[in-house]
Amino acid sequence: IQSWTNINLSEAGHLHAEAVRSGQIWRAITALTLHGDLGHIFSNSLFGALFGLFVGRHLGSGLGWLLVLGCGAIANLTNAWIQPDAFRAVGASTATFAALGLVPAFAWRRGYFRGNGLKRGFAPIFAAICILSYTGFGSERVDVGGHVFGFTYGIIAGLLFAEINLKARSLGDQQRAGIMAIIVVSTAWLVAI
C-alpha cells in the first residue's frame, strides 16, 4: 500500500496526451487544479476569479462554475487528442479562458447590446478575443491549444445556456450545481491517486 505522503500529485494529475488517449480521462480535470509555480497560480487565480465573477453574476455561482469546469475539461480532452504523445500541461488557464468566452457570448445571445449597432453589439466578444490574443499566447511553455479550446468551448456554452430561463433556477439548484462541480473534481482526484 502506497503512503499518502509518497504520492506525486503532479505526476498523478497532469494532462498527459498519451495517458488521456489511453483512457485516463480524469487528467482533463485534475490538470486544471495543478500549477507549475507560484506565479502560475497567482495569474490563474487572479484572472479566474475576475472572469468567474462575471460568470457567476450572469449564470449564478453554482451553474457558472460547473460550466467553467466542464468547458475546461472538454477543452483539455480535445487538446490531448490533437497533441503529440509526449505533450504535458497543467493549470487552470484553460478553464479561465472558458470563463472569458462564456460571458460575452451569453450577453450577446441574450441581446444585452442590441440596438447599439453591429460594432457595439459585437464589442464584448471582440474584447474577449483581444484579451485571448494578448494573454493566451506567449512563450513556448504556454498551452495555446488549451487556451483556444477553452475559449471556444466557453463561447459555445455561453451561446447555448443563454436560452435557459435562469430565473426559474432556485438557490437550491445553484447549490446542487456547485456541489456537483466539487464532486467532479474530488472524484477525478480520487481516481488519480
Side-chain angles (χ1 to χ4, degrees):
I1 296 177
Q2 186 178 20
S3 166
W4 286 96
T5 58
N6 293 335
I7 296 173
N8 183 336
L9 294 178
S10 179
E11 195 59 37
H14 69 270
L15 184 70
H16 181 216
E18 183 179 26
V20 169
R21 289 194 299 267
S22 298
Q24 296 179 18
I25 59 172
W26 64 83
R27 290 178 180 273
I29 296 166
T30 56
L32 295 171
T33 66
L34 295 171
H35 291 82
D37 55 36
L38 283 176
H40 193 205
I41 291 171
F42 178 75
S43 64
N44 280 333
S45 297
L46 178 70
F47 288 108
L50 177 66
F51 301 146
L53 195 80
F54 291 111
V55 170
R57 178 169 164 74
H58 290 287
L59 291 158
S61 296
L63 177 60
W65 283 110
L66 183 60
L67 280 175
V68 168
L69 174 65
C71 289
I74 293 168
N76 271 344
L77 286 173
T78 305
N79 200 21
W81 279 100
I82 67 159
Q83 296 291 349
D85 287 348
F87 177 80
R88 296 170 186 260
V90 294
S93 56
T94 302
T96 298
F97 283 103
L100 173 65
L102 204 154
V103 173
F106 179 88
W108 179 79
R109 183 77 172 120
R110 281 273 171 120
Y112 293 163
F113 300 95
R114 274 196 197 122
N116 294 325
L118 183 61
K119 286 182 185 177
R120 286 201 171 159
F122 190 68
I125 293 176
F126 179 73
I129 292 169
C130 289
I131 293 171
L132 170 68
S133 299
Y134 184 70
T135 61
F137 303 91
S139 71
E140 61 188 49
R141 292 186 62 205
V142 172
D143 180 13
V144 174
H147 295 175
V148 170
F149 287 127
F151 183 79
T152 302
Y153 286 120
I155 291 276
I156 292 168
L159 294 173
L160 293 175
F161 279 84
E163 299 300 316
I164 291 178
N165 180 5
L166 294 171
K167 291 182 181 175
R169 304 291 170 247
S170 68
L171 177 61
D173 292 336
Q174 290 291 343
Q175 290 171 340
R176 283 187 286 280
I179 290 168
M180 179 60 70
I182 293 168
I183 289 170
V184 167
V185 172
S186 300
T187 302
W189 270 111
L190 285 173
V191 172
I193 56 176

